[in-house]
Amino acid sequence: CDNVMDARIAKSNLATNTSLKYLCLTSFTGSSTEEHAKKITGYAMELSKIIKTNHGLEALILCGNTMDNEGRAILLRTLRDNNTLLRLDTLFDPEWYDVVYEEEELRLQGEIDAALASNRVWKRYATNYYDSKSPSPPSPSSSSQSSETAIPIEMYPTILGMLADKPTHVFR
């Protein structure tokens, strides 16, 4: 691969496409060289722009050796600004089930998973809060009874802790 992939991502409408929910990308096969690492870093920077602004994508799967640890760190920093991504898998490899990952790869993927946990909590909250028949939240002055069950008070600290890492959830 060369810089053509970076240019395609940069010129695509992925950053503003809200209908795409699931995307699996495969690229950058070959040995780990310095040139290869630079390409992956550029690729990660372009993907981070998409992750930061896309409000529809829920799953991004990067297959094979598409991402290195520097790229994972770039994507991890970007997740703070994304509210809709529920899954970002940088280790998925459908052809090699017996791959042994390095400790740093697993640590970064674990941090990515933890960063996305608040998005999953928010999605469950929003799904339960908003009535499926109405596009807006129920009015406080509404006299109709809601069919949803209230969130138990014991869950508030956990929910607030999860959402505190994402200031953007506060303004949704």
Side-chain angles (χ1 to χ4, degrees):
C1 287
D2 54 18
N3 291 333
V4 173
M5 179 59 85
D6 293 341
R8 286 185 195 151
I9 291 173
K11 293 180 181 178
S12 72
N13 69 345
L14 287 175
T16 57
N17 183 327
T18 57
S19 62
L20 182 66
K21 301 293 181 199
Y22 181 90
L23 180 62
C24 182
L25 298 173
T26 303
S27 183
F28 300 118
T29 57
S31 63
S32 294
T33 64
E34 188 175 324
E35 183 180 335
H36 178 75
K38 286 180 184 176
K39 290 177 187 176
I40 290 177
T41 300
Y43 186 55
M45 292 174 84
E46 290 302 322
L47 284 174
S48 72
K49 292 175 189 174
I50 291 167
I51 290 170
K52 192 176 234 181
T53 57
N54 185 295
H55 299 292
L57 190 63
E58 294 182 356
L60 177 58
I61 313 303
L62 305 175
C63 299
N65 64 343
T66 307
M67 199 54 52
D68 63 3
N69 290 336
E70 185 177 348
R72 284 182 190 91
I74 290 168
L75 297 178
L76 177 60
R77 287 190 298 271
T78 303
L79 293 177
R80 185 169 170 85
D81 299 319
N82 180 286
N83 295 323
T84 56
L85 195 63
L86 306 175
R87 178 179 177 201
L88 173 58
D89 191 342
T90 64
L91 298 176
F92 183 76
D93 194 338
E95 296 179 21
W96 301 101
Y97 295 107
D98 59 348
V99 172
V100 177
Y101 295 107
E102 295 176 16
E103 186 176 323
E104 183 69 1
E105 291 173 317
L106 294 173
R107 183 189 67 77
L108 285 167
Q109 182 62 50
E111 287 186 32
I112 288 170
D113 295 340
L116 293 174
S118 67
N119 288 0
R120 291 188 292 273
V121 167
W122 181 262
K123 180 164 178 121
R124 280 193 302 267
Y125 164 76
T127 301
N128 289 330
Y129 180 73
Y130 296 109
D131 183 26
S132 62
K133 298 174 189 163
S134 172
S136 60
S139 166
S141 62
S142 173
S143 61
S144 64
Q145 288 285 64
S146 175
S147 63
E148 291 100 14
T149 56
I151 299 172
I153 192 95
E154 301 84 31
M155 291 297 298
Y156 281 29
T158 303
I159 292 171
L160 291 174
M162 296 290 286
L163 300 179
D165 291 335
K166 294 266 187 129
T168 52
H169 284 312
V170 174
F171 301 104
R172 288 182 82 182

